[in-house]
Amino acid sequence: MDSPSAPPKVNGLIPPLIYGGDYNPDQWTEDVWREDVRLMQEAGVNLVNLAIFSWSRIQPSEREWSFEWLDRVMDLLHEGGIRVDLATATASPPPWLAHAHPEMLPVLADGVRLWPGARQHYCPSSPVYRHAAHRLAETMAEHYAGHPALTMWHVGNEYGCHVPACYCDVSAQAFREWLKRRHGTIAELNRAWGTDFWSQRYSSWGEILPPRRTPTWPNPSQQLDFMRFSSDELLECYELEREALQRHTPEIPITTNFMSFFKPLDYWRWAEREEVVSNDSYPDPSDPQSGMRAAMAGDLMRSLGRGKPWILMEQTTSRVNWREVNVAKTPGQMRLWSYQAMARGADGIMFFQWRQSPAGAEKFHGAMVSHGPVDTSPVWHEVKALGREIRGLDRLAGSRVKAHVAIVFDWESWWALELPSKPSGRLRLLDQVESYYAAMFDTNVTADFARPVDDLRAYRLVVAPNLYLVTDQAAANLRDYVQDGGHLAMSFFSGIVDAEEHILLGGYPAPLADLLGVRVIDWFPLPADTRLAVRFEDGSPAEGELWSELIEPAGAEVLATFAAGSLAARPAVTRNHFGKGTATYLGTRLDRGTMSRLLRLVCGAAGVNPVIEAPPGVEAVSRGEFTFLLNHGDSAANVELGPEKGGTIQVGARDVAIVGLEIPEQTSA
Ligand code: GLA
């Protein structure tokens, strides 16, 4: 029986745990396809993402369709027992379309047009592109409806990856229509954009442009609206295709692959329109923070799907091709990071791509099957071993991760915070989120992400690393949450502007001051490499960086003060009792060790416990009845499980153990 939390299944046809990758058979001759299916079976592959970049093959000209080759691939895969996540193939328009309609090509803010010859060369607002993409999606759906291999739809590919926004005349017109819907009248737009500043008042809609390259900063409210508009335009492209697919194959789930914390698209709005959330994850193996960041992305994906299992749609087996130096994963790292995704809620582990390309811009990117003979490829042996293991882990499928902490994450606030001309250009939202996340990751406290307007009552602790833009609704939600007994931890430069990027007047942080029990009189951002001494009330020293500010307590108690400079003896960290709950406020960015200690205290007060007390470098996450122990370190670690769970368990270097579930024994490949 399907568990209620499992991803939607088509007549039970989606395998419980998915294993596979992007499959581009059009880059190979037919004899290779047969070999592919044989090798896929050998590796335990049960799903492939097919035809993502096949538009020019499927539709060689406006009136010509060529499905025979793809039919043969679909049939071969089906005969081999491999299911298909079929792409709508709309991510890379064919040359003929761009040549017939050059106005569909995207234009940058400085007027430079992007030409065909790579991929994603379309203006998201272009009626030409939209019509052609809808027609292709519809034709694909008509053609493959009922095909026994068809299991899921993969719409487009990484929307916005290369072209998140377009500034052409077609986009300008679409922007005006979008603005009319948002603001109603030109007078209201003038108010919302604060156009009395620098003589920017508009007399008619026709005068409004996208924020093209200007002598200096374009109007920030205009920029913010343009970011909203650009996310919405791409979402409309997705929805147009989705409409066609749903009409022809209502039973087939639909996804489009996300790119972790991708700034241009408000994924909360996108995820609501998908049956399954899927993500592409390419952590840099040479960066020691990559394990933590990949965990954070996994938690975001789970949260975007409101707890449902998600799919790791793309990762590399070894290395990518797009960094300055493409460092390969060390042996075991691909397996460890795959388990990490499963620990954080993934029911599918997939790769870009199945077979390494012989030509084109990505021929040096890793793949499941590399250029050389498979038998001599260590990667192939890792791929096969993981496939074999995953086949034995079906009990994991559909189980849920339970978090008691929520991290407030809001795309609009992110966009607004990072617009130019702020007190500090060094203040970046993801750095802020990471400073909280890393502290919790280090102590194995699991967190979800949530919107500031979400119902937060299920969480014992809510952290808001930065909520620069706050709506009345969000401020009320946070207050109600604390009032009713919730615990909140929030950092500086929150509650500063409204949805139009206007200052919330009345003393910073106006809508949150009573909740936090402080007034912020002024900000003193710190230059790079400057640290400011901080001292906690118990005398323990700490360091602040990035930011400092003059805080006037208005009801809050002081937990730490600045210990040097002009803010010496002034509050750096405060705590306010508000209603039945508490609100802790941080006026600087504390070093990682102090953050861990502080969050331990805050978690303790909120009744949030670590999954397990594990040695440094061991990540622990519970999913359903299972507890994953992932050792990111270079040496074996002993983890104390406690008497109930059976004493101590040793986890090897870069190895994983799942308490409650045996990982199938590795036989030599
Ligand atoms: C993205 C794309 C793939 C491929 C990989 C390479 O994830 O979706 O088509 O280009 O990057 O890393």
Side-chain angles (χ1 to χ4, degrees):
M1 203 181 80
D2 290 355
S3 97
S5 56
K9 292 189 171 57
V10 198
N11 308 323
L13 293 179
I14 290 192
L17 290 183
I18 290 165
Y19 192 59
D22 282 16
Y23 184 35
N24 297 304
D26 33 348
Q27 297 175 12
W28 298 92
T29 51
E30 202 154 337
D31 51 320
V32 181
W33 303 351
R34 293 183 188 282
E35 174 70 353
D36 282 336
V37 172
R38 190 187 67 72
L39 289 173
M40 284 176 191
Q41 290 168 332
E42 200 177 315
V45 165
N46 54 21
L47 185 86
V48 292
N49 307 316
L50 183 64
I52 295 178
F53 297 106
S54 301
W55 191 343
S56 64
R57 271 268 192 159
I58 294 170
Q59 193 186 7
S61 68
E62 193 179 347
R63 284 186 190 76
E64 215 184 329
W65 296 93
S66 162
F67 280 112
E68 312 71 42
W69 68 276
L70 193 53
D71 293 348
R72 286 203 297 285
V73 177
M74 289 285 284
D75 293 348
L76 263 179
L77 289 165
H78 176 59
E79 285 156 24
I82 291 149
R83 313 207 55 80
V84 175
D85 170 34
L86 187 59
T88 54
T90 52
S92 190
W96 60 260
L97 185 65
H99 281 273
H101 301 281
E103 74 280 12
M104 65 156 280
L105 293 168
V107 173
L108 301 180
D110 57 4
V112 169
R113 195 172 278 276
L114 303 179
W115 295 93
R119 63 178 176 184
Q120 225 183 72
H121 41 277
Y122 61 84
C123 157
S125 306
S126 161
V128 171
Y129 169 75
R130 287 182 173 202
H131 173 75
H134 184 258
R135 186 169 168 228
L136 176 57
E138 174 121 43
T139 311
M140 292 285 280
E142 269 166 8
H143 192 86
Y144 289 109
H147 193 287
L150 178 66
T151 298
M152 188 157 56
W153 285 111
H154 184 293
V155 179
N157 188 64
E158 293 194 337
Y159 273 99
C161 170
H162 308 298
V163 184
C166 175
Y167 297 77
C168 74
D169 289 343
V170 173
S171 300
Q173 188 49 38
F175 186 38
R176 288 174 202 129
E177 297 307 320
W178 184 96
L179 290 168
K180 282 182 200 165
R181 291 193 294 276
R182 180 172 171 85
H183 297 292
T185 63
I186 199 83
E188 175 51 24
L189 176 130
N190 278 310
R191 186 207 63 78
W193 285 13
T195 52
D196 283 314
F197 180 81
W198 282 355
S199 177
Q200 292 170 357
R201 285 191 75 80
Y202 294 99
S203 317
S204 72
W205 294 102
E207 294 168 4
I208 298 170
L209 292 171
R212 290 178 178 161
R213 189 156 166 188
T214 42
T216 182
W217 308 301
N219 181 311
S221 309
Q222 175 191 11
Q223 291 189 68
L224 184 56
D225 268 353
F226 190 66
M227 287 164 134
R228 293 180 174 119
F229 159 78
S230 298
S231 176
D232 283 359
E233 288 298 277
L234 281 166
L235 184 55
E236 262 184 37
C237 291
Y238 166 78
E239 288 208 285
L240 275 172
E241 294 189 31
R242 178 173 159 82
E243 176 279 324
L245 302 176
Q246 280 179 326
R247 207 158 12 87
H248 291 282
T249 56
E251 74 288 7
I252 302 289
I254 298 174
T255 192
T256 183
N257 45 344
F258 290 163
M259 291 166 281
S260 303
F261 287 86
F262 182 63
K263 187 174 165 189
L265 303 186
D266 181 348
Y267 281 155
W268 290 118
R269 286 166 46 68
W270 285 67
E272 285 167 1
R273 294 158 170 87
E274 291 186 307
E275 276 74 48
V276 188
V277 169
S278 60
N279 192 42
D280 298 349
S281 173
Y282 291 98
D284 184 351
S286 71
D287 183 343
Q289 301 309 318
S290 283
M292 178 270 292
R293 291 200 183 112
M296 188 163 119
D299 288 344
L300 177 68
M301 293 306 133
R302 182 185 67 248
S303 308
L304 289 171
R306 303 300 181 182
K308 275 188 305 194
W310 52 282
I311 298 172
L312 176 58
M313 186 65 92
E314 288 184 28
Q315 60 170 335
T316 183
T317 51
S318 55
R319 67 176 68 78
V320 297
N321 65 304
W322 39 262
R323 293 197 170 99
E324 177 61 19
V325 177
N326 297 297
V327 172
K329 291 177 177 169
T330 49
Q333 200 159 42
M334 176 275 275
R335 175 174 177 265
L336 183 66
W337 286 353
S338 299
Y339 273 97
Q340 181 189 56
M342 288 191 273
R344 294 188 181 269
D347 269 3
I349 300 297
M350 304 187 81
F351 298 89
F352 175 83
Q353 61 177 330
W354 164 251
R355 189 181 274 279
Q356 194 170 23
S357 301
E362 295 185 321
K363 55 184 169 294
F364 294 113
H365 195 289
M368 300 169 86
V369 175
S370 40
H371 291 147
V374 281
D375 290 344
T376 58
S377 155
V379 162
W380 172 246
H381 293 294
E382 287 191 65
V383 163
K384 270 203 312 188
L386 182 60
R388 198 175 305 136
E389 288 181 16
I390 286 182
R391 275 204 302 264
L393 299 175
D394 280 358
R395 277 178 60 210
L396 272 181
S399 55
R400 302 268 183 143
V401 175
K402 174 94 188 125
H404 295 297
V405 181
I407 303 171
V408 170
F409 194 84
D410 182 57
W411 259 266
E412 296 203 356
S413 184
W414 186 7
W415 295 335
L417 176 72
E418 296 184 5
L419 288 169
S421 73
K422 291 291 188 318
S424 172
R426 297 180 62 235
L427 172 50
R428 315 300 290 175
L429 183 66
L430 287 189
D431 292 347
Q432 278 301 106
V433 173
E434 276 183 24
S435 82
Y436 278 78
Y437 189 90
M440 292 191 278
F441 182 79
D442 289 348
T443 49
N444 286 315
V445 168
T446 311
D448 284 342
F449 286 87
R451 286 177 143 175
V453 292
D454 282 343
D455 183 352
L456 300 167
R457 284 172 300 179
Y459 297 102
R460 295 180 190 165
L461 172 65
V462 170
V463 301
N466 176 281
L467 192 60
Y468 166 71
L469 180 157
V470 70
T471 59
D472 291 346
Q473 197 193 349
N477 192 44
L478 292 172
R479 282 164 48 163
D480 289 350
Y481 167 74
V482 178
Q483 182 94 49
D484 293 347
H487 296 269
L488 174 74
M490 181 175 247
S491 282
F492 49 88
F493 211 45
S494 291
I496 304 301
V497 296
D498 66 12
E500 313 299 355
E501 236 254 339
H502 291 203
I503 296 288
L504 290 158
L505 298 171
Y508 315 125
L512 305 171
D514 58 341
L515 163 63
L516 298 169
V518 296
R519 284 278 171 206
V520 175
I521 310 301
D522 204 357
W523 305 298
F524 300 93
L526 302 173
D529 301 326
T530 301
R531 304 256 188 283
L532 200 54
V534 169
R535 182 161 294 112
F536 276 78
E537 289 304 280
D538 64 3
S540 53
E543 276 185 343
E545 56 170 348
L546 182 78
W547 191 269
S548 62
E549 55 185 29
L550 177 54
I551 298 171
E552 201 71 60
E557 59 187 303
V558 177
L559 299 185
T561 50
F562 291 106
S566 56
L567 292 176
R570 295 295 201 143
V573 182
T574 61
R575 181 175 54 209
N576 192 37
H577 293 275
F578 185 78
K580 293 190 220 141
T582 65
T584 305
Y585 181 69
L586 283 67
T588 186
R589 186 157 82 211
L590 295 166
D591 60 275
R592 188 156 168 175
T594 307
M595 246 343 234
S596 289
R597 284 198 300 281
L598 181 64
L599 280 179
R600 253 180 204 277
L601 283 177
V602 173
C603 284
V608 175
N609 298 315
V611 171
I612 224 164
E613 296 284 350
V618 176
E619 175 185 351
V621 196
S622 286
R623 182 173 172 186
E625 59 190 291
F626 315 108
T627 299
F628 285 69
L629 301 172
L630 303 135
N631 184 1
H632 293 268
D634 292 328
S635 50
N638 290 324
V639 184
E640 186 57 57
L641 299 177
E644 264 172 44
K645 292 199 168 164
T648 305
I649 188 169
Q650 187 175 74
V651 190
R654 249 171 269 115
D655 200 357
V656 56
I658 308 178
V659 182
L661 186 64
E662 201 153 321
I663 296 176
E665 197 65 26
Q666 295 252 12
T667 50
S668 71

